[in-house]
């Protein structure tokens, strides 16, 4: 029901704001802008997202099927099982869903969005198999979705590349702030859902895993900042991500050959699911993208930013960060919209300005909550999302606050 209320609210709010702009400000183009945007958003959902995703899904679900037959997914489940069994208590021990989630989180960590989506959809399908109420999101599915929407990424490669294109003096200078902000979002999301689901995080296994991950991230940051040049950071990030990903494919194939599996047939068997899944999600994608487009084109987000600025001014808070807020506000709604807003902010203020850098950190601090809810839950037919959206937004908010604080620390003069 949450999606239903939000979807309707987007249209109604946009309509009211558009009427105000027409009647009181004489904006005769506003309704044309909104209607044209609905067609453009619908086209984007099918032509720019669903159809390209069909090819990616076909490839990676085929590769995933090879990994399952090779025993790699089961192996991953056993390795990380002790930790996941604490934060996903409803998932049976060594269930394939654990391995699928690990693959998804790993791809996200490396900044490999194209691979992360198929892995994530496969993980959601696996969790749906053990969901007793097929139309209602289970606790495990909500925990997975909130962790996914927190957008934990070690290497924001796409953002660094865009900064280099726009002529930033040091395209990788947002690397550490992005990592800190997205890690804060992930930890806050995990704690919030754990409290809601009454999961005890104060045990040796969880603390040791979280402590180990924290130390690992800190060590990576220390190594990158003390032993690599800015150019080397970008080169290592690009090479390491893709080498690791292709190595996974090779490992799956070699494992399948060792078990005397017909690799090509297994690939085709898994790949057949890709196109079917993409056809299933098209209505959910189009519906959500059109609603988001209507809200954006009506100017609502601009008024929200102006409102925040007014409030912060009267509270005596420094407002240098508010011009970057549109990127933060759009990010939970649309990844492509947030990217476009980030690029526009860097072009307007400069890629090396405080606002330009902050918009990049905003873009790297969380993921597209509404898009992911529509995509992942829509792919398995879940209609009642329960508290998935508000808790995903809690993680997003934590990432936004952390992004502001860490950017003031690193970049504000």
């Amino acid at each position: 029901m949450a999606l239903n209320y939000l979807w309707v609210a987007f249209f109604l709010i946009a309509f009211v704001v558009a009427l105000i702009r027409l009647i009181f400000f004489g904006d005769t183009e506003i309704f044309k802008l909104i209607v044209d945007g609905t067609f453009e958003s619908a086209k984007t959902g099918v032509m720019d997202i669903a159809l390209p995703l069909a090819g990616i899904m076909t490839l990676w679900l085929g590769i995933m099927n090879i990994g399952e037959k090779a025993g790699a997914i089961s192996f991953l489940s056993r390795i990380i099982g002790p930790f996941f069994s604490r934060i996903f208590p409803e998932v049976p021990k060594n269930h394939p869903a654990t391995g699928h989630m690990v693959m998804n989180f790993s791809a996200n960590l490396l900044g490999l969005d194209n691979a992360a989506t198929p892995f994530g959809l496969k993980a959601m399908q696996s969790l749906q198999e053990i969901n007793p109420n097929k139309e209602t999101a289970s606790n495990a599915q909500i925990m997975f979705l909130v962790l996914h929407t927190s957008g934990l990424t070690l290497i924001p490669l796409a953002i660094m590349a865009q900064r280099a294109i726009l002529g930033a003096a040091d395209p990788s200078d947002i690397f550490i702030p992005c990592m800190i902000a997205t890690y804060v979002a992930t930890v806050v999301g995990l704690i919030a859902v754990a409290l809601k689901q009454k999961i005890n995080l104060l045990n040796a296994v969880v603390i040791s895993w979280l402590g180990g991950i924290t130390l690992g991230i800190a060590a990576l940051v220390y190594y990158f900042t003390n032993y690599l040049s800015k150019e080397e950071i970008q080169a290592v990030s690009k090479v390491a991500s893709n080498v690791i990903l292709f190595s996974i494919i090779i490992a799956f194939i070699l494992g399948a050959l060792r078990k005397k599996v017909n690799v090509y047939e297994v690939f085709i068997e898994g790949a057949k699911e890709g196109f079917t899944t993409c056809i299933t999600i098209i209505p959910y994608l189009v519906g959500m993208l059109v609603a988001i487009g209507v809200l954006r084109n009506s100017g609502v987000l601009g008024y929200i930013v102006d409102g925040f600025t007014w409030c912060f001014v009267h509270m005596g808070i420094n407002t240098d960060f508010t011009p970057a807020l549109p990127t933060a506000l759009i990010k939970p709604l649309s990844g492509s919209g947030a990217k476009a807003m980030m690029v526009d902010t860097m072009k307007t203020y400069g890629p090396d300005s405080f606002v330009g850098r902050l918009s990049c950190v905003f873009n790297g601090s969380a993921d597209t909550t509404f898009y992911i809810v529509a995509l992942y839950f829509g792919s398995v037919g879940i209609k009642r999302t329960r508290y998935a959206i508000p808790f995903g937004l809690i993680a997003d908010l934590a990432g936004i606050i952390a992004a502001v604080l860490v950017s003031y620390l690193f970049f504000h003069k």
Side-chain angles (χ1 to χ4, degrees), residues 43 58 86 89-90 103 116 118 129 238 254 312 324 328 380 401:
K43 177 185 175 183
T58 299
R86 267 69 175 186
E90 296 178 356
M103 295 298 294
E129 293 174 3
K238 183 184 298 182
L254 293 177
F312 292 138
V380 293
I401 294 172

Side-chain angles (χ1 to χ4, degrees), residues 146 148-151 181 185-186 188-189 328 331-333 362 365-370 389-403:
V146 171
H148 184 56
T149 60
S150 67
T186 301
V188 169
K331 183 65 176 183
L333 301 172
F362 277 148
S365 65
D367 214 327
T368 49
T369 298
F370 289 97
I389 292 176
F391 277 71
L393 293 176
I394 287 173
D396 291 341
L397 178 60
I400 290 171
I401 294 172

Side-chain angles (χ1 to χ4, degrees), residues 184-266:
V184 169
T186 301
V187 172
V188 169
L190 172 62
I191 293 173
V193 177
L195 290 174
K196 175 68 175 179
Q197 297 180 0
K198 295 181 173 58
I199 296 173
N200 178 22
L201 297 180
L202 299 177
N203 64 75
V205 173
V206 173
I207 291 175
S208 61
W209 269 89
L210 290 179
I213 293 171
T214 302
L215 288 174
I217 291 175
L220 186 65
V221 169
Y222 179 80
Y223 174 75
F224 272 39
T225 54
N226 288 278
Y227 294 98
L228 297 181
S229 67
K230 308 304 181 183
E231 294 76 15
E232 288 173 334
I233 289 176
Q234 294 184 66
V236 169
S237 300
K238 183 184 298 182
V239 172
S241 298
N242 291 287
V243 167
I244 291 173
L245 186 63
F246 194 65
S247 297
I248 290 172
I249 296 174
I250 298 301
F252 282 2
I253 292 173
L254 293 177
L257 288 174
R258 187 176 67 86
K259 290 197 169 186
K260 296 182 171 55
V261 172
N262 187 323
V263 179
Y264 183 69
E265 284 189 5
V266 168

